[in-house]
Amino acid sequence: MPSDPELYELATRVGHKLHAAGRRLATAESCTGGWVAKGLTDVPGSSDWFECGYVCYSNAAKVRDLQVSPATLAQFGAVSEQAVREMAEGALRVTGANVALAVTGIAGPDGGTPAKPVGTVWFCAAARAGPVLEVIAERQIFPGDRAAVRGCSVRHGLELLIRLDLPGGAPAV
């Protein structure tokens, strides 16, 4: 599980990158319960680049707040590439931010299945530049207990934001 100083350092790097590119970020979190947004807003000056964060734990909240399609949730489930992409795109659409990070997964200790074991987490980082949308969507399976899965998910989400190409911006710090 990542340490608080490690998460702070990653969040600071994300903030420098967003600030240098003149971008604003919205988060859409499920299994991390707002931990990504908390980590980002721990960084002084985050109001320059952090727009808002959604904690959409239930499927109803994903539909209501982020406009995730009920058909997507019914067909693929909340822990899927399709759902996490719609969460990120919804965060961009409803907030007007131009960068989004979405996270959805199964932190445990229960809720896993053979196809989606405990520790399965889907991520989507998306950046809009005019009509172009760059998207990185990926699945990870993290070992450990609930706290470890959630902490690793926060770290991975921040790392994903650092990997995003932000046209016109400076490279990651």
Side-chain angles (χ1 to χ4, degrees):
M1 189 160 76
S3 67
D4 287 343
E6 179 187 2
L7 293 179
Y8 183 81
E9 187 270 332
L10 286 169
T12 300
R13 288 177 60 197
V14 169
H16 284 283
K17 180 174 184 166
L18 291 166
H19 184 72
R23 301 301 188 94
R24 293 192 64 79
L25 171 71
T27 59
E29 301 179 64
S30 187
C31 66
T32 49
W35 194 351
V36 173
K38 185 254 189 246
L40 291 166
T41 58
D42 280 347
V43 177
S46 56
S47 60
D48 290 341
W49 45 266
F50 186 80
E51 182 69 26
C52 64
Y54 289 88
V55 177
C56 294
Y57 217 69
S58 71
N59 284 354
K62 288 173 180 68
V63 171
R64 180 191 64 234
D65 298 338
L66 299 172
Q67 302 170 352
V68 173
S69 166
T72 296
L73 296 171
Q75 183 174 357
F76 301 104
V79 181
S80 65
E81 180 176 3
Q82 295 83 353
V84 80
R85 281 176 174 268
E86 288 187 26
M87 289 170 66
E89 290 168 9
L92 291 173
R93 188 172 42 256
V94 301
T95 66
N98 42 27
V99 179
L101 175 69
V103 183
T104 184
I106 305 164
D110 53 10
T113 67
K116 296 179 186 178
V118 168
T120 302
V121 183
W122 273 98
F123 300 85
C124 184
R128 183 173 306 289
V132 177
L133 182 64
E134 180 197 357
V135 175
I136 302 172
E138 58 187 43
R139 180 187 69 140
Q140 297 290 319
I141 300 177
F142 298 114
D145 63 9
R146 183 176 182 81
V149 169
R150 294 176 78 220
C152 289
S153 297
V154 173
R155 179 185 63 219
H156 190 78
L158 294 172
E159 290 169 345
L160 209 58
L161 287 169
I162 291 167
R163 285 175 33 205
L164 265 181
D165 180 31
L166 299 179
V173 175

